[in-house]
Amino acid sequence: MREMDKAFDFRTAQTRWYGVWEAAKAFEAQPKSGKAPWSIVIPPPNITGNLHMGHALVNTLHDVLTRFKRAQGYDALWVPGTDHAGIATQMMVERQLKAEGTDRHQLGREAFEQRIWDWKEKHQGAIEHQLQRLGCSVDWTRKRFTLDPALNKAVRKVFVESYKAGRIYRGPRMIQWDPALQTALSDLEVKYEERKGKLWYLRYPMSDGQGELVVATTRPETMLGDTAVAVHPDDARYQHLLGRTVDLPLTGRTIPVVADAFVDPAFGTGCVKVTPAHDPNDFAAGQRLKLDSITVIGFDAKMTATAGAYAGLDRFEARKRVVADLEEQGFLVKIEDYTNKISLSDRSGAVLEPLVSEQWFMDVKEAAAKALEAVRDGRIQFTPEHHVAVWEHWLTNIQDWCISRQLVWGHRIPAWTCDACGKLHVEMEAPAACTCGSAKLTQDPDTLDTWFSSALWPFSVFGWPDETEELKRYYPTSVLITGYDILFFWVARMAMAGLTWMGEVPFRKVYFNSLVRDASGQKMSKTKGNVIDPLEVMEEYGTDALRFALAIMAAPGTDIAMSPARLEASRNFCNKLWNASRFVQMNLDESVTLETVPEFGEAEFWLIKKMRDSLSAVTKALEEFRFHEAADLLYHLVWDDFCATYIELAKVQLLSGTPGQKAAILHFLDILLRALHPFVPFLTEEIHEAVMEGRLPAGEPALLALRGWPVDEPLLQTRCGDATLIPRFQDVLSAFLRLKAEQGVDPAKRVAAFCSILELEPFAEALKAIARLESVSFTKNDLASATRAVAVVAGGAVALELAGLKDPAAEKAKLEKERAKLEKELEPLRARLADDSFITKAPEAAVAKLRGQAEEREQRLAQVKALLG
């Protein structure tokens, strides 16, 4: 049995214990154990990533819950894995190639893909190591990667069967195109940013020379592709122009004036240019009105040949040239300042270009209806519940999903086109030959949106589409913990996929964790310089301090404001537990074990009741994802009750008590370590080894990580009676400390003290030690005097002798202020209790509660008046 160091060496503990846990297979699932299964899957981090504070939070909460469930006796499985992160990973490797003076086109597809695999093998371990540093109790034997062959099989099955069922199709549609990454994006990969721009008013002359129309546009360069001018069908100003044509400036073309309800009569002049090839609304209107579609901006964001004199210009340069030419030729009416929403790529930051492109799409309306119903009927439950409204909005307004990406890195689309006859083959494996006999088939070069494979994660990790034993045992998973910012990206798609392919929800509960912000509540960003790096925090404060700080602030629906002060407070808590445990260890004989029968007195009965109530509340809080409440309960149980109160009261027993009395203290510490372990695993495992080695009952696991949740511990079932003296002791102690602070007495200065509650005389030494008092005298006599500071407590009063330190006038003013406060509080209570209508109609419990509050204040008021004389 080794002696505990004076201070907790968290760096050594963090390095050592994870390897011990792994060697003991502490985190591996036990499907043959006979235990009830409980499962959760990790939100797979990108292989490109480093652990950021959001990762630290979500994985801390995962680990708290997993360790808690494992301790409760479940076969708890937390499946780890990483995401191939199509766009992000390809961008990283393309940057490397650029630095080397080459690019993916020069390398060729196969060589480029191999280069990314090499990069993945080199860098994937970083994020995994960081998860280990955080203490994540995942089952590494079941690690998955979204491009694993087994997961690729699942992806191909979903694609092929969806295509054959008519849910996946290929065709020309308006998509958001990223000209920097040269790929289509789904609507969810678009971020919108308000920017100050211009609104240009352009004159389009009527072809017959009888008047003109003025249109307003934020993108004058696209007017080269206009194929109509539209007005609202109910706009009386333009009814006489419908069916006529206007001359399109700079092009020599004429285009019709048409009517469509998508036009807002209040925007600009009420006339809008229609460019079906470059605007989603115009594209839809063009299809309704059977208008031509003329592409004047290409996939390289440069003007096409159909743009005439502007061909080859960058789109923004073309804008300047078009505006200048319109002005020169008299077609520019005016320019106004205008704030516009610009669509940007969430990945590259490039301004996106709406373009008509041949892409693969998935019709998810039927699946969305199933996901909506699953939340409505309670098969999936959200915490916090207000996210249901967002869910309803997204899924009732869902559009077909653009699933193809013009990337190399990802799941390649299992579709082949015959070079001879053009027939399309969508199959699980490459066909040997086409039905026409030709063996020359070309696979579609595109890959699938990363979220396509992520949607299958909760069942593909268990071997689907094969009907494995793991799939039967661990699907559906028990809960999903994730950020609310990917509610639709990932949560909705998993729900849709699970209900479609498994016929069952992928998870029964979803907990949306908070976002971590800086101390002032601002979003962290490198630009602002306010990023808190969890790796640096773990090095400076310790992993346990970081985990506890995150957990105690993780209130549902409330973002976390992280600061050094928060981390300092959590580190102080860890140190408090370490110091208390070290004090216990230093004063325990080797003969005292957890099999030694404990002996109980007043303090022990009080702490048993405290622990029983607190741990029951902690258990309930964790079951309901109130991590902050569970952590706060444990904080006060350890700091206020165990360390500040019980240890002080039990010092005599530790120094000279019987083995049974010492065994009680050992039992209490053991229960606290087991309850705290899910939150601060390294600290508690280190203490557990130092204190409990050689003291555990026969057959009990040596590792704390493998021991049970203590809520049903036999000791906590002990009948305790009222145990009312300790709360009164705490009141008196608090009053002494408060008096010292109010009177400006140095906390270390010892002064004489007095107390009128005679029953607390056995606690005199504890009061002296904790409050740092010279002496404590117990008397029924009046405590008031010109040299004393007095405070009223329940059932009596306390005083400090402050001769030479006390201001009598200030003391009298304090008591008068207290009297006024009590009289003000009593006024409504007395009125309520004098109201016969309230007394007869209100529930008995409410009346009793009110009477209790009034009586308590009446007693305190009488004491204050007595002190005032």
Side-chain angles (χ1 to χ4, degrees):
M1 192 177 296
R2 65 180 179 84
E3 186 176 317
M4 291 174 68
D5 295 333
K6 189 172 183 180
F8 174 44
D9 181 1
F10 60 80
R11 293 182 183 90
T12 301
Q14 288 162 196
T15 304
R16 174 185 173 221
W17 281 112
Y18 203 91
V20 173
W21 290 328
E22 279 201 287
K25 300 181 178 180
F27 308 148
E28 292 183 19
Q30 300 174 314
K32 306 294 185 186
S33 63
K35 298 177 180 179
W38 182 91
S39 61
I40 193 168
V41 294
I42 199 169
N46 293 351
I47 55 170
T48 58
N50 276 319
L51 194 74
H52 57 63
M53 202 53 89
H55 287 134
L57 171 64
V58 72
N59 286 296
T60 291
L61 300 185
H62 272 82
D63 195 50
V64 168
L65 206 54
T66 304
R67 288 178 185 265
F68 167 63
K69 286 295 175 181
R70 192 179 289 124
Q72 279 189 313
Y74 287 91
D75 170 25
L77 168 60
W78 181 10
V79 181
T82 48
D83 194 288
H84 65 279
I87 292 177
T89 308
Q90 184 160 322
M91 279 175 64
M92 298 285 283
V93 178
E94 289 204 65
R95 282 194 200 121
Q96 284 188 346
L97 294 178
K98 187 176 181 180
E100 296 168 12
T102 185
D103 60 35
R104 64 183 168 108
H105 303 292
Q106 294 180 52
L107 228 61
R109 182 174 186 126
E110 286 188 16
F112 178 56
E113 192 170 358
Q114 185 56 53
R115 179 72 179 260
I116 302 177
W117 275 107
D118 294 342
W119 188 95
K120 175 257 180 190
E121 291 303 319
K122 183 178 179 182
H123 291 89
Q124 179 175 331
I127 190 75
E128 293 173 357
H129 174 67
Q130 290 160 11
L131 290 172
Q132 292 172 354
R133 282 190 65 184
L134 191 62
C136 297
S137 60
V138 300
D139 185 345
W140 290 109
T141 66
R142 298 169 187 272
K143 181 176 71 174
R144 299 290 184 265
F145 176 53
T146 51
L147 280 183
D148 283 344
L151 274 69
N152 178 254
K153 180 181 177 182
V155 166
R156 284 182 285 121
K157 179 179 175 65
V158 168
F159 187 96
V160 172
E161 293 197 9
S162 297
Y163 174 79
K164 292 182 176 178
R167 290 195 297 269
I168 285 180
Y169 60 93
R170 185 172 68 176
R173 288 277 300 273
M174 175 67 69
I175 50 92
Q176 295 279 9
W177 181 262
D178 185 333
L181 296 175
Q182 287 289 290
T183 182
L185 301 178
S186 74
D187 291 341
L188 294 173
E189 294 166 300
V190 179
K191 61 182 180 181
Y192 295 93
E193 185 178 290
E194 284 197 348
R195 291 186 181 177
K196 291 180 179 178
K198 303 293 181 183
L199 188 62
W200 288 269
Y201 287 78
L202 312 181
R203 177 182 291 111
Y204 288 8
M206 300 304 298
S207 300
D208 58 10
Q210 302 297 309
E212 64 188 22
L213 285 178
V214 175
V215 300
T217 180
T218 58
R219 302 192 66 199
E221 70 278 11
T222 63
M223 59 84 58
L224 302 170
D226 287 359
T227 56
V229 171
V231 298
H232 194 279
D234 298 331
D235 194 335
R237 293 173 295 174
Y238 302 112
Q239 293 297 309
H240 65 291
L241 299 178
L242 294 176
R244 294 166 66 183
T245 63
V246 296
D247 293 336
L248 184 63
L250 310 182
T251 67
R253 290 190 291 114
T254 62
I255 56 176
V257 180
V258 299
D260 194 279
F262 90 98
V263 178
D264 178 4
F267 176 76
T269 63
C271 300
V272 297
K273 54 192 283 304
V274 183
T275 320
H278 295 289
D279 181 271
N281 290 324
D282 292 5
F283 177 76
Q287 289 192 316
R288 288 193 297 271
L289 300 167
K290 297 182 170 50
L291 299 174
D292 291 337
S293 181
I294 300 174
T295 301
V296 293
I297 301 174
F299 292 104
D300 56 0
K302 292 181 179 179
M303 307 307 286
T304 66
T306 54
Y310 308 94
L313 290 177
D314 173 80
R315 55 185 165 162
F316 299 121
E317 179 60 30
R319 177 178 298 177
K320 297 175 186 175
R321 291 274 296 275
V322 165
V323 169
D325 290 347
L326 287 167
E327 185 173 23
E328 183 182 336
Q329 297 179 33
F331 296 115
L332 181 62
V333 178
K334 62 177 179 176
I335 305 173
E336 292 179 348
D337 290 334
Y338 188 75
T339 300
N340 195 23
K341 271 191 176 180
I342 305 295
S343 56
L344 305 172
S345 168
D346 194 44
R347 287 293 181 186
S348 69
V351 176
L352 298 176
E353 192 62 50
L355 291 172
V356 177
S357 174
E358 185 88 4
Q359 299 287 342
W360 290 91
F361 296 88
M362 189 174 198
D363 181 348
V364 290
K365 292 182 182 64
E366 184 182 336
K370 292 178 181 178
L372 279 166
E373 189 59 32
V375 170
R376 288 169 183 168
D377 65 21
R379 281 175 290 153
I380 298 177
Q381 297 173 359
F382 286 174
T383 302
E385 290 184 356
H386 64 76
H387 290 294
V388 171
V390 181
W391 179 268
E392 287 278 341
H393 172 75
W394 275 108
L395 292 179
T396 51
N397 294 282
I398 200 164
Q399 301 297 314
D400 288 2
W401 175 15
C402 177
I403 57 175
S404 49
R405 298 290 179 272
Q406 288 63 55
L407 300 171
V408 171
W409 181 242
H411 292 276
R412 194 162 176 183
I413 290 175
W416 291 261
T417 303
C418 176
D419 294 349
C421 70
K423 182 177 179 180
L424 181 66
H425 299 262
V426 176
E427 303 292 346
M428 287 291 289
E429 306 294 341
C434 178
T435 51
C436 74
S438 174
K440 292 185 177 179
L441 294 99
T442 302
Q443 187 173 3
D444 192 307
D446 291 352
T447 54
L448 288 163
D449 180 0
T450 298
W451 296 103
F452 193 96
S453 51
S454 299
L456 315 182
W457 187 249
F459 49 93
S460 63
V461 297
F462 297 125
W464 188 89
D466 296 338
E467 293 185 10
T468 64
E469 290 302 315
E470 290 177 338
L471 187 63
K472 292 175 186 174
R473 180 168 176 79
Y474 297 115
Y475 186 93
T477 59
S478 305
V479 63
L480 173 73
I481 303 176
T482 187
Y484 58 76
D485 51 335
I486 55 172
L487 181 148
F488 194 78
F489 272 115
W490 193 42
V491 182
R493 285 172 174 162
M494 284 190 289
M496 291 189 286
L499 288 161
T500 299
W501 299 100
M502 295 295 297
E504 175 63 284
V505 296
F507 29 72
R508 295 182 177 91
K509 297 178 181 179
V510 182
Y511 174 78
F512 293 102
N513 59 262
S514 311
L515 296 184
V516 186
R517 300 182 181 275
D518 71 6
S520 59
Q522 296 295 308
K523 189 175 181 180
M524 292 187 196
S525 73
K526 291 178 182 176
T527 309
K528 294 177 183 174
N530 63 346
V531 173
I532 301 173
D533 184 346
L535 300 175
E536 293 177 5
V537 169
M538 287 190 278
E539 187 62 28
E540 182 178 354
Y541 295 92
T543 297
D544 293 303
L546 171 62
R547 287 170 59 115
F548 200 76
L550 289 168
I552 205 166
M553 291 189 287
T558 306
D559 287 347
I560 291 171
M562 181 57 75
S563 67
R566 297 277 192 180
L567 294 163
E568 188 74 36
S570 287
R571 183 171 64 183
N572 291 344
F573 172 74
C574 292
N575 290 339
K576 188 80 169 177
L577 180 63
W578 178 268
N579 292 337
S581 302
R582 181 169 177 265
F583 180 76
V584 170
Q585 187 210 36
M586 288 168 60
N587 291 284
L588 281 181
D589 306 325
E590 288 190 12
S591 61
V592 177
T593 72
L594 290 174
E595 292 187 300
T596 305
V597 178
E599 296 174 19
F600 304 133
E602 174 80 16
E604 285 71 36
F605 286 133
W606 165 79
L607 188 57
I608 287 170
K609 188 173 187 305
K610 268 281 182 185
M611 281 191 164
R612 182 167 62 222
D613 293 347
S614 295
L615 293 183
S616 176
V618 168
T619 302
K620 188 172 188 293
L622 287 176
E623 296 283 10
E624 296 173 359
F625 313 117
R626 298 197 308 277
F627 298 96
H628 68 299
E629 190 176 309
D632 188 64
L633 284 161
L634 289 170
Y635 177 93
H636 289 290
L637 183 62
V638 170
W639 193 291
D640 299 340
D641 300 325
F642 184 69
C643 297
T645 303
Y646 179 72
I647 288 290
E648 293 297 335
L649 292 174
K651 275 183 177 177
V652 174
Q653 293 172 201
L654 269 174
L655 295 170
S656 57
T658 66
Q661 289 174 323
K662 294 183 178 184
I665 299 167
L666 183 68
H667 272 281
F668 292 141
L669 179 58
D670 179 63
I671 288 167
L672 287 175
L673 292 176
R674 286 152 63 190
L676 281 163
H677 181 72
F679 294 89
V680 284
F682 297 105
L683 170 68
T684 51
E685 193 74 77
E686 186 81 2
I687 295 172
H688 184 267
E689 181 193 52
V691 178
M692 301 300 167
E693 188 177 20
R695 303 185 196 275
L696 294 168
E700 188 74 2
L703 282 176
L704 181 58
L706 293 173
R707 295 188 62 201
W709 185 245
V711 74
D712 294 322
E713 185 71 13
L715 179 143
L716 296 180
Q717 314 315 311
T718 305
R719 295 187 65 177
C720 302
D722 291 335
T724 56
L725 284 182
I726 305 303
R728 298 179 75 184
F729 162 80
Q730 288 179 305
D731 287 346
V732 167
L733 174 61
S734 296
F736 280 138
L737 293 172
R738 189 170 59 252
L739 273 179
K740 285 183 101 174
E742 289 173 354
Q743 297 297 325
V745 179
D746 185 335
K749 183 174 180 59
R750 295 185 178 273
V751 295
F754 303 87
C755 178
S756 67
I757 305 172
L758 303 184
E759 306 96 288
L760 294 181
E761 192 162 2
F763 300 99
E765 289 303 314
L767 288 170
K768 279 172 58 180
I770 304 170
R772 297 191 179 184
L773 302 170
E774 184 180 274
S775 61
V776 184
S777 302
F778 290 83
T779 176
K780 275 292 182 185
N781 297 332
D782 184 5
L783 300 186
S785 84
T787 59
R788 292 178 187 173
V790 183
V792 176
V793 295
V798 298
L800 295 180
E801 179 60 60
L802 301 176
L805 300 173
K806 179 177 176 289
D807 178 354
E811 180 62 18
K812 183 178 180 182
K814 182 170 74 75
L815 287 170
E816 286 175 340
K817 185 178 179 181
E818 175 73 2
R819 178 175 63 184
K821 175 175 172 286
L822 288 167
E823 286 175 341
K824 187 175 181 180
E825 290 175 357
L826 275 165
E827 194 174 322
L829 292 173
R830 288 166 174 163
R832 198 82 165 142
L833 291 169
D835 183 349
D836 291 337
S837 175
F838 169 75
I839 298 297
T840 54
K841 293 179 182 178
E844 284 185 24
V847 175
K849 183 179 179 181
L850 214 63
R851 282 200 173 112
Q853 291 173 347
E855 287 170 7
E856 188 262 337
R857 283 165 176 77
E858 294 281 11
Q859 288 175 7
R860 284 170 57 195
L861 181 61
Q863 291 164 350
V864 169
K865 286 179 176 178
L867 291 169
L868 282 167

